[in-house]
Amino acid sequence: MLQISVLRDQTELVLAGLAKKHYATAEADVAAILDLDQRRRSLQTTHDASQGEANELARQIGGLMKSGDKAGAETLKARTAELKQHTQAAATELAQVEKEQQQLLYKLPNLPHASVPEGRAAADNEVVREHGTKPTLGPDAQPHWDLIKKYDIIDFELGNKITGAGFPVYKNQGARLQRALINFFLDQARNAGYTEMQPPILVNEASGYGTGQLPDKDGQMYHDAKDNLYLIPTAEVPLTNIYRDEIVPLDKLPVRMAGYTPCFRREAGSWGADVRGLNRLHQFDKIEIVQITEPDHSYDALEAMLAHVESLLQQLNLPYRVLRLCGGDMSFTAALTYDLEVWSAAQGRWLEVSSVSNFETYQANRLKCRYRADGGKTQLLHTLNGSALALPRIVAALLENNQTSTGIDLPQVLHSYCGFEQIG
């Protein structure tokens, strides 16, 4: 959530940033928020003045009662009663104005970092670098949705029977490969200095608002209305919310956490070739890395997180590229995002497997996640997160890129984790 002081003091900068993100109603929404802020401050002044006068009269009433001036005391009591009514009325209106202002602030996306390129869609994203050599497959090469049937490692029809489309059943070597990748990614995160966490996969509404999934992604999340709980779309939500309403000591910074969870996304409105097989699921496994840092260090942390994810792809021998997302293709909450895509040889296209983002103070402002700077004043921290990694498209690329006439050759780094070197 953007800070109201930034909207008030740097209005033109805010409008320019919202325009870069192609937020259509920026001028109207910012104007409405600033109008409400002016009302809020006026009401707060009225409330505080009435409260202050009432407190002063209370002291005077005590003195009059001690001196025996009951008539004078009664006159002041009558005035105090009027002030109490004024204070209560101002408090009621103030609460309503603050609620309206908060709801409008929730609608505004984060402002993009200066390095974010202009653009509306994925075609406008900037390719930062490309790594690795794309494999050349023979004429008999198959896409992963055929390979999983051939080797009986993932069953979409069985998942559809049990739950519905987008909920596959992993079995045999497919199940073991899933477990191997999870353990490999977690071990790598731990070796990089991240504390391993196992958070809940259901979160409350406050957690959804804290990291910005609510209200923006309300329709994309699975919701249990009876208990008002949400299945997480990513471990970012519970991990970051550990520090909601916290003042983090300087000697505990930066916070580095890694967590494995299943993730759940309704993916409403998704269709086409990019949803076939493992390309887009309603439930999938992912390891998430999260950092919480002092503002001056957050962009160094972002580059370190990006390097960590790249090292995973390099160890898996997967050709990949790094993209800097343009303003129109960024998430609601991010200030700067790098996407990492792996090459899917049989499909002949790039598949996104990770996003690494800096949210600056946007989430921290919602979370009230702060630190105490020199001089004792509390300031907002910066939050960051990245996929390290999401499994489905990694598996798809591993199967397609490494297919041979005798089976699927797995990268050496997974041999000890899997207990086998080839699927087949």
Side-chain angles (χ1 to χ4, degrees):
M1 184 169 66
L2 299 179
Q3 299 176 70
I4 188 64
S5 60
V6 174
L7 271 74
R8 191 167 53 233
D9 300 336
Q10 303 180 61
T11 307
E12 293 305 315
L13 177 69
V14 170
L15 291 174
L18 295 177
K20 198 173 191 180
K21 276 203 167 181
H22 300 277
Y23 183 71
T25 58
E27 289 192 13
D29 287 352
V30 169
I33 290 168
L34 293 178
D35 284 345
L36 286 168
D37 185 55
Q38 193 170 20
R39 283 180 59 197
R40 180 191 63 79
R41 288 189 291 164
S42 176
L43 286 166
Q44 188 71 60
T45 299
T46 299
H47 174 275
D48 293 348
S50 296
Q51 186 67 58
E53 185 180 349
N55 291 339
E56 176 58 30
L57 291 179
R59 287 190 289 272
Q60 293 179 23
I61 289 169
L64 291 172
M65 292 295 289
K66 284 183 180 179
S67 66
D69 186 357
K70 292 184 178 181
E74 290 302 322
T75 299
L76 294 187
K77 283 182 180 180
R79 174 58 181 160
T80 301
E82 292 177 5
L83 290 170
K84 184 177 181 181
Q85 289 182 335
H86 293 160
T87 303
Q88 289 175 341
T92 299
E93 189 176 357
L94 181 61
Q96 181 60 38
V97 168
E98 287 177 339
K99 183 179 179 180
E100 291 178 23
Q101 185 185 63
Q102 186 88 338
Q103 292 305 310
L104 280 176
L105 282 168
Y106 280 144
K107 287 178 58 181
L108 295 183
N110 199 2
L111 303 180
H113 186 264
S115 66
V116 171
E118 297 282 355
R120 287 185 173 273
D124 301 315
N125 293 334
E126 174 190 340
V127 178
V128 177
R129 57 182 164 271
E130 192 172 316
H131 183 276
T133 303
K134 297 176 183 177
T136 301
L137 302 180
D140 297 329
Q142 296 176 288
H144 71 271
W145 50 83
D146 289 334
L147 293 170
I148 62 178
K149 290 182 179 179
K150 179 179 179 180
Y151 296 110
D152 193 28
I153 55 175
I154 304 174
D155 196 323
F156 283 94
E157 293 179 2
L158 188 56
N160 192 41
K161 172 185 176 181
I162 296 169
T163 308
F167 295 89
V169 173
Y170 298 84
K171 57 183 181 179
N172 304 323
Q173 287 181 303
R176 293 172 67 185
L177 176 59
Q178 286 284 110
R179 180 158 48 91
L181 285 167
I182 291 166
N183 287 335
F184 170 62
F185 293 151
L186 284 174
D187 285 350
Q188 291 293 304
R190 190 172 62 253
N191 292 340
Y194 291 88
T195 300
E196 185 174 337
M197 310 287 283
Q198 189 169 358
I201 61 173
L202 281 163
V203 295
N204 56 31
E205 190 174 70
S207 294
Y209 274 94
T211 44
Q213 279 69 32
L214 295 176
D216 180 56
K217 293 293 187 292
D218 192 8
Q220 293 292 344
M221 297 172 70
Y222 287 99
H223 181 216
D224 171 25
K226 184 174 182 179
D227 293 316
N228 197 26
L229 297 174
Y230 293 83
L231 281 168
I232 60 170
T234 167
E236 165 203 346
V237 182
L239 289 178
T240 312
N241 269 279
I242 291 171
Y243 288 87
R244 175 157 43 92
D245 298 320
E246 296 288 333
I247 298 176
V248 185
L250 276 173
D251 62 358
K252 300 297 182 182
L253 293 172
V255 173
R256 297 188 182 97
M257 298 176 287
Y260 153 68
T261 64
C263 302
F264 303 87
R265 300 181 185 180
R266 294 186 62 242
E267 298 290 5
S270 298
W271 65 85
D274 67 334
V275 305
R276 193 166 183 186
L278 295 170
N279 288 345
R280 195 173 297 274
L281 302 174
H282 293 308
Q283 177 181 332
F284 60 94
D285 292 325
K286 182 158 67 84
I287 285 74
E288 193 80 359
I289 53 175
V290 169
Q291 287 207 37
I292 301 174
T293 75
E294 294 172 73
D296 289 346
H297 302 155
S298 69
Y299 279 94
D300 289 338
L302 180 67
E303 294 300 323
M305 293 170 76
L306 175 61
H308 174 72
V309 178
E310 289 189 71
S311 75
L312 301 177
L313 297 175
Q314 290 167 12
Q315 291 180 78
L316 293 174
N317 298 322
L318 289 174
Y320 70 89
R321 66 180 184 177
V322 178
L323 305 176
R324 183 184 285 111
L325 298 193
C326 69
D329 198 37
M330 290 174 63
S331 75
F332 184 82
T333 50
L336 177 61
T337 295
Y338 292 111
D339 267 8
L340 293 98
E341 299 178 334
V342 297
W343 180 251
S344 173
Q347 297 179 70
R349 64 193 187 93
W350 296 99
L351 301 176
E352 180 197 333
V353 293
S354 176
S355 288
V356 184
S357 300
N358 189 346
F359 306 103
E360 297 187 358
T361 61
Y362 189 86
Q363 290 181 333
N365 192 30
R366 290 177 173 227
L367 295 160
K368 294 182 175 60
C369 178
R370 297 157 292 167
Y371 73 107
R372 202 175 299 280
D374 293 338
K377 184 178 179 181
T378 59
Q379 296 185 20
L380 293 172
L381 288 158
H382 281 194
T383 64
L384 307 93
N385 83 277
S387 310
L389 284 156
L391 270 65
R393 294 172 189 168
I394 290 291
V395 171
L398 287 173
L399 296 176
E400 294 182 5
N401 294 5
N402 298 305
Q403 57 184 301
T404 71
S405 59
T406 60
I408 312 294
D409 291 336
L410 295 176
Q412 185 174 3
V413 72
L414 293 180
H415 291 176
S416 62
Y417 284 94
C418 289
F420 52 86
E421 300 178 8
Q422 186 182 72
I423 292 175

